[in-house]
Amino acid sequence: MSALEPRDAGVETGTDVDADAPDGTTPSAESGAGEGVLGRTYRALSVGIVSVVFLIAFEATAVGTAMPVAARELHGIPLYAFAFSAYFTTSLFAMVLSGQWADRRGPLGPLATGISAFAAGLLLCGTAGSMWVFVAGRAVQGLGGGLVIVALYVVISRAYPKRLQPSILAAFAASWVIPSVVGPLASGTVTEHLGWRWVFTGIPVLVVFPLALALPAIRRRASGPADPSAPVEPYDRRRIMLALGISLGAALLQYAGQELNWFALLPTAVGVALLVPAVRGLLPPGTGRAARGLPSVVLLRGVAAGSFIAAESFVPLMLVTQRGLSPTMAGLSLAAGGGTWALGSYVQSRPRLEPHRERLMVGGMVLVAAAIAAAPSVLIDAVPVWTVAVAWAFGCFGMGMVIASTSVLLLKLSAPEEAGANSAALQISDGLSNVLLLAAGGAAFAALGGGTVGAVHDAVQAGASGSHPGAFAVVFLPMAGVALVGAWVAGRVRAKP
């Protein structure tokens, strides 16, 4: 019997199959009243979707270690940065498509397609004979990742009662802890002893488990449109075209940020011309001016993620080139952050703290800003290098509270039929902010003698030195300022009564 057949869901979830609504609609998320996310009603679904996030997290943390080796073997060092940007570029488009697909047909289709595309992209990368094929594989991965992440939010909004949504989102954050510590070490060992291709081709085999476990439960509890009796609206072609525009615009800005010459002005202008109308059309009205409620939630997600990730990308390079740490030790200095991130996400999920969520988010952004501002203190020789590890642990604790809270508030402020579109907006804000602030930070870093963005990872691997200390300061301090702006935005996430 196929894993997608609905009657298997009764076996997989441990619930009676006759609990399905008589009209064929999915059962209410409240049918497991009093149970936790690992209770009988939700166990298969929870384990399945958390396994999906775990695999994506493991790939995200492991692939960076194998990437330089792959680029050298495929004679593709000049295309190194595009192997990263291809993923982000296609995922921005896929997020919008997934939101529309899930709102109209339910999350099962985009989730199954996304997992399949993610696995296909990994296989394409692992069997690539040239760097361009490798980049194409990363683009396919991005399509899959974009489809999956938005569909998962729709699954949560439909399959879990509101009282359990903070807990399952906390579990998502916890699923990053082990990959953040083990992923780079495991990837390095596999790359050294078996070859870099196994890092990519080994993961798709593990996709079978979450597919077999989660998809039947999703089909039973969250398939189909939010209102089966309502007519299905056609896809919004305008939003899809805007999604293409935002992807292409982001790619052009990434390219321009790496070139740093007069010829880069043209792709910069075209990228901005594409991005501005696309962002205005895809994000909630009022996002740019931090209007209270949903617009500020979406804006805060981008401000928090972009400032933190842009700064974090330069921490290992700073420790290697300025303080002489080995690449492994530099990477491990951030390992504790995975645990404190999960702890922060757990703290925000406590029911008694729900009335204080806005203050938790403000405090979280202050911790993020302080961590980013403290990191470049190790440019002073008298400051011990473990200062970064301690600061980053506190910063990750703040990020755990903020990121999970934005997801909780988004679902709380979204009608069921709008969960897909709003989840897509949240992820677009996250991904686009990463792209733009990384490009801005990389350009400033290179302008002050730090080197090109594409060379950053290679420099870490080689333990190179020579980057000017001021090049790091011009990255971290502005990002700390952006995070402080996020603390102000966090004070506006509660909608007016």
Side-chain angles (χ1 to χ4, degrees):
M1 186 175 287
S2 168
L4 295 180
E5 290 187 34
R7 295 302 163 191
D8 282 343
V11 178
E12 292 291 334
T13 62
T15 56
D16 296 329
V17 294
D18 60 4
D20 289 73
D23 60 357
T25 62
T26 56
S28 169
E30 298 290 349
S31 59
E35 295 186 23
V37 293
L38 291 179
R40 188 183 181 194
T41 302
Y42 305 104
R43 186 180 302 126
L45 179 61
S46 298
V47 172
I49 62 177
V50 169
S51 297
V52 171
V53 176
F54 180 87
L55 290 177
I56 293 176
F58 188 85
E59 187 275 342
T61 55
V63 92
T65 303
M67 197 84 78
V69 180
R72 284 193 294 268
E73 184 175 314
L74 296 174
H75 308 290
I77 294 297
L79 299 176
Y80 179 81
F82 287 102
F84 288 98
S85 62
Y87 182 98
F88 291 115
T89 299
T90 55
S91 66
L92 288 171
F93 169 74
M95 290 170 188
V96 176
L97 179 62
S98 182
Q100 294 208 28
W101 190 349
D103 282 343
R104 287 157 176 78
R105 302 291 182 182
L108 182 63
L111 184 61
T113 303
I115 294 175
S116 301
F118 193 81
L122 285 169
L123 291 174
L124 190 58
C125 288
T127 57
S130 69
M131 192 61 181
W132 277 117
V133 175
F134 186 91
V135 170
R138 291 288 292 166
V140 174
Q141 270 187 267
L143 285 171
L147 289 172
V148 167
I149 190 64
V150 172
L152 285 177
Y153 276 90
V154 179
V155 169
I156 293 172
S157 72
R158 296 190 186 182
Y160 294 88
K162 290 188 181 299
R163 64 180 178 82
L164 291 182
Q165 289 175 4
S167 297
I168 192 65
L169 289 168
F172 278 15
S175 67
W176 279 80
V177 176
I178 294 177
S180 66
V181 177
V182 176
L185 297 177
S187 176
T189 302
V190 171
T191 299
E192 182 179 350
H193 292 94
L194 298 177
W196 64 268
R197 295 182 184 275
W198 284 98
V199 175
F200 295 90
T201 57
I203 294 178
V205 178
L206 304 177
V207 172
V208 175
F209 170 73
L211 276 175
L213 193 61
L215 293 185
I218 293 172
R219 181 163 186 172
R220 179 181 178 275
R221 301 194 63 82
S223 63
D227 184 1
S229 62
V232 178
E233 296 183 5
Y235 285 87
D236 189 337
R237 294 184 179 181
R238 176 179 174 274
R239 288 183 65 86
I240 292 177
M241 292 304 297
L242 289 174
L244 287 173
I246 205 171
S247 295
L248 182 57
L252 289 171
L253 288 182
Q254 289 176 82
Y255 171 79
Q258 295 174 55
E259 290 303 305
L260 290 181
N261 56 44
W262 290 107
F263 294 104
L265 292 176
L266 179 60
T268 298
V270 176
V272 170
L274 289 170
L275 275 179
V276 171
V279 169
R280 289 173 62 88
L282 294 174
L283 300 187
T287 299
R289 55 183 174 85
R292 286 192 172 275
L294 184 62
S296 284
V297 172
V298 172
L299 178 61
L300 177 61
R301 179 58 164 262
V303 170
S307 59
F308 189 81
I309 297 302
E312 186 179 57
S313 300
F314 287 88
V315 170
L317 182 66
M318 179 176 64
L319 294 177
V320 169
T321 61
Q322 304 301 311
R323 297 303 298 265
L325 268 66
S326 68
T328 300
M329 289 303 298
L332 288 176
S333 68
L334 304 178
T340 57
W341 189 308
L343 178 61
S345 185
Y346 170 80
V347 167
Q348 66 79 38
S349 72
R350 298 300 85 198
R352 67 176 178 271
L353 293 178
E354 177 61 34
H356 310 291
R357 185 174 297 281
E358 182 178 334
R359 278 180 281 180
L360 285 177
M361 297 171 78
V362 173
M365 288 309 303
V366 171
L367 285 176
V368 171
I372 296 173
S377 66
V378 298
L379 294 170
I380 303 171
D381 290 338
V383 177
V385 292
W386 50 258
T387 301
V388 170
V390 174
W392 226 248
F394 279 99
C396 285
F397 179 78
M399 284 292 287
M401 290 194 295
V402 172
I403 296 300
S405 289
T406 57
S407 300
V408 171
L409 286 175
L410 178 105
L411 297 178
K412 182 178 180 180
L413 296 172
S414 300
E417 66 275 8
E418 297 174 345
N422 289 341
S423 297
L426 190 76
Q427 297 303 321
I428 287 171
S429 179
D430 187 319
L432 184 60
S433 181
N434 284 340
V435 170
L436 296 182
L437 290 180
L438 270 172
F445 180 75
L448 268 74
T452 62
V453 175
V456 167
H457 199 288
D458 287 336
V460 171
Q461 293 293 320
S465 61
S467 295
H468 193 282
F472 292 99
V474 83
V475 172
F476 287 101
L477 297 182
M479 295 306 161
V482 173
L484 278 178
V485 172
W488 172 76
V489 176
R492 300 177 60 81
V493 296
R494 191 178 297 277
K496 291 182 178 180

CSV table of all heavy atoms in Angstrom, one decimal, residues 1-2 4-12 15-21 216 219-220:
chain,number,residue,atom,x,y,z
A,1,MET,N,0.8,-1.2,0.0
A,1,MET,CA,0.0,0.0,0.0
A,1,MET,C,0.9,1.2,0.0
A,1,MET,O,1.9,1.3,0.7
A,1,MET,CB,-0.9,0.0,1.2
A,1,MET,CG,-1.9,1.1,1.3
A,1,MET,SD,-3.0,1.0,2.7
A,1,MET,CE,-4.0,-0.4,2.1
A,2,SER,N,0.5,2.2,-0.8
A,2,SER,CA,1.3,3.4,-0.9
A,2,SER,C,1.4,4.2,0.4
A,2,SER,O,0.4,4.3,1.2
A,2,SER,CB,0.8,4.4,-2.0
A,2,SER,OG,1.4,5.6,-1.9
A,4,LEU,N,1.3,7.2,0.7
A,4,LEU,CA,0.5,8.4,0.6
A,4,LEU,C,-1.0,8.1,0.8
A,4,LEU,O,-1.8,9.0,0.7
A,4,LEU,CB,0.7,9.1,-0.7
A,4,LEU,CG,2.1,9.7,-0.9
A,4,LEU,CD1,2.2,10.3,-2.3
A,4,LEU,CD2,2.4,10.7,0.2
A,5,GLU,N,-1.4,6.8,0.9
A,5,GLU,CA,-2.8,6.5,1.1
A,5,GLU,C,-3.3,6.9,2.4
A,5,GLU,O,-2.7,6.7,3.5
A,5,GLU,CB,-3.0,5.0,0.8
A,5,GLU,CG,-2.8,4.6,-0.6
A,5,GLU,CD,-3.1,3.1,-0.8
A,5,GLU,OE1,-4.1,2.7,-0.2
A,5,GLU,OE2,-2.5,2.5,-1.6
A,6,PRO,N,-4.5,7.6,2.5
A,6,PRO,CA,-4.9,8.2,3.7
A,6,PRO,C,-5.2,7.2,4.8
A,6,PRO,O,-5.1,7.5,6.0
A,6,PRO,CB,-6.2,8.9,3.3
A,6,PRO,CG,-6.6,8.3,2.1
A,6,PRO,CD,-5.4,7.8,1.4
A,7,ARG,N,-5.6,5.9,4.5
A,7,ARG,CA,-5.9,5.0,5.6
A,7,ARG,C,-4.7,4.5,6.3
A,7,ARG,O,-4.8,4.0,7.4
A,7,ARG,CB,-6.6,3.8,5.0
A,7,ARG,CG,-8.0,4.2,4.4
A,7,ARG,CD,-8.9,4.8,5.5
A,7,ARG,NE,-10.0,5.5,4.9
A,7,ARG,CZ,-10.8,6.3,5.5
A,7,ARG,NH1,-10.6,6.6,6.8
A,7,ARG,NH2,-11.8,6.9,4.9
A,8,ASP,N,-3.5,4.7,5.7
A,8,ASP,CA,-2.3,4.4,6.5
A,8,ASP,C,-2.1,5.3,7.6
A,8,ASP,O,-1.3,5.0,8.6
A,8,ASP,CB,-1.0,4.5,5.6
A,8,ASP,CG,-0.9,3.2,4.7
A,8,ASP,OD1,-1.6,2.3,5.0
A,8,ASP,OD2,-0.2,3.3,3.7
A,9,ALA,N,-2.7,6.5,7.5
A,9,ALA,CA,-2.5,7.5,8.6
A,9,ALA,C,-2.9,7.1,9.9
A,9,ALA,O,-2.4,7.4,11.0
A,9,ALA,CB,-3.2,8.8,8.2
A,10,GLY,N,-4.0,6.3,10.0
A,10,GLY,CA,-4.5,5.8,11.2
A,10,GLY,C,-3.5,4.9,11.9
A,10,GLY,O,-3.4,4.9,13.1
A,11,VAL,N,-2.8,4.1,11.1
A,11,VAL,CA,-1.8,3.2,11.7
A,11,VAL,C,-0.5,4.0,12.2
A,11,VAL,O,0.0,3.9,13.2
A,11,VAL,CB,-1.3,2.2,10.7
A,11,VAL,CG1,-0.2,1.3,11.2
A,11,VAL,CG2,-2.5,1.3,10.3
A,12,GLU,N,-0.1,5.0,11.3
A,12,GLU,CA,1.1,5.7,11.6
A,12,GLU,C,0.9,6.6,12.8
A,12,GLU,O,1.9,6.8,13.5
A,12,GLU,CB,1.5,6.6,10.3
A,12,GLU,CG,1.9,5.7,9.1
A,12,GLU,CD,3.2,5.1,9.4
A,12,GLU,OE1,4.0,5.6,10.2
A,12,GLU,OE2,3.4,4.0,8.7
A,15,THR,N,-4.0,6.9,15.7
A,15,THR,CA,-5.3,7.3,15.9
A,15,THR,C,-6.3,6.5,15.1
A,15,THR,O,-5.9,5.8,14.1
A,15,THR,CB,-5.5,8.8,15.5
A,15,THR,OG1,-5.1,9.0,14.2
A,15,THR,CG2,-4.6,9.7,16.4
A,16,ASP,N,-7.6,6.5,15.5
A,16,ASP,CA,-8.5,5.7,14.7
A,16,ASP,C,-8.8,6.4,13.4
A,16,ASP,O,-9.0,7.6,13.3
A,16,ASP,CB,-9.8,5.7,15.5
A,16,ASP,CG,-9.7,4.9,16.8
A,16,ASP,OD1,-8.8,4.0,16.8
A,16,ASP,OD2,-10.4,5.2,17.8
A,17,VAL,N,-8.9,5.6,12.3
A,17,VAL,CA,-9.1,6.1,11.0
A,17,VAL,C,-10.5,6.7,10.9
A,17,VAL,O,-10.7,7.6,10.0
A,17,VAL,CB,-8.8,5.1,9.9
A,17,VAL,CG1,-7.4,4.6,9.9
A,17,VAL,CG2,-9.7,3.9,10.1
A,18,ASP,N,-11.4,6.3,11.7
A,18,ASP,CA,-12.7,6.8,11.5
A,18,ASP,C,-12.9,8.2,12.1
A,18,ASP,O,-14.0,8.7,12.2
A,18,ASP,CB,-13.8,5.9,12.1
A,18,ASP,CG,-13.6,5.6,13.5
A,18,ASP,OD1,-12.7,6.2,14.1
A,18,ASP,OD2,-14.3,4.7,14.1
A,19,ALA,N,-11.7,8.8,12.6
A,19,ALA,CA,-11.8,10.1,13.2
A,19,ALA,C,-11.9,11.1,12.0
A,19,ALA,O,-12.1,12.3,12.3
A,19,ALA,CB,-10.6,10.4,14.0
A,20,ASP,N,-11.7,10.7,10.8
A,20,ASP,CA,-11.7,11.6,9.7
A,20,ASP,C,-13.2,12.2,9.6
A,20,ASP,O,-14.2,11.5,9.9
A,20,ASP,CB,-11.4,11.0,8.4
A,20,ASP,CG,-10.0,10.6,8.2
A,20,ASP,OD1,-9.5,9.7,8.9
A,20,ASP,OD2,-9.3,11.3,7.5
A,21,ALA,N,-13.2,13.5,9.2
A,21,ALA,CA,-14.5,14.1,9.1
A,21,ALA,C,-15.3,13.4,8.1
A,21,ALA,O,-14.8,13.0,7.0
A,21,ALA,CB,-14.3,15.6,8.8
A,216,PRO,N,1.9,10.5,5.3
A,216,PRO,CA,0.6,10.0,5.6
A,216,PRO,C,-0.1,10.8,6.7
A,216,PRO,O,-1.3,11.0,6.6
A,216,PRO,CB,0.9,8.6,6.0
A,216,PRO,CG,2.2,8.2,5.4
A,216,PRO,CD,3.0,9.5,5.4
A,219,ARG,N,-1.3,14.1,5.2
A,219,ARG,CA,-2.5,13.9,4.3
A,219,ARG,C,-3.7,13.7,5.1
A,219,ARG,O,-4.8,14.2,4.8
A,219,ARG,CB,-2.3,12.6,3.5
A,219,ARG,CG,-3.4,12.4,2.5
A,219,ARG,CD,-3.1,11.4,1.4
A,219,ARG,NE,-4.1,11.3,0.4
A,219,ARG,CZ,-4.1,10.7,-0.7
A,219,ARG,NH1,-2.9,10.1,-1.1
A,219,ARG,NH2,-5.1,10.7,-1.5
A,220,ARG,N,-3.6,13.1,6.3
A,220,ARG,CA,-4.8,12.9,7.1
A,220,ARG,C,-5.2,14.2,7.8
A,220,ARG,O,-6.4,14.5,8.0
A,220,ARG,CB,-4.6,11.8,8.2
A,220,ARG,CG,-5.7,11.6,9.1
A,220,ARG,CD,-5.5,10.5,10.1
A,220,ARG,NE,-6.6,10.4,11.0
A,220,ARG,CZ,-6.8,11.1,12.1
A,220,ARG,NH1,-6.0,12.0,12.4
A,220,ARG,NH2,-7.9,10.9,12.8
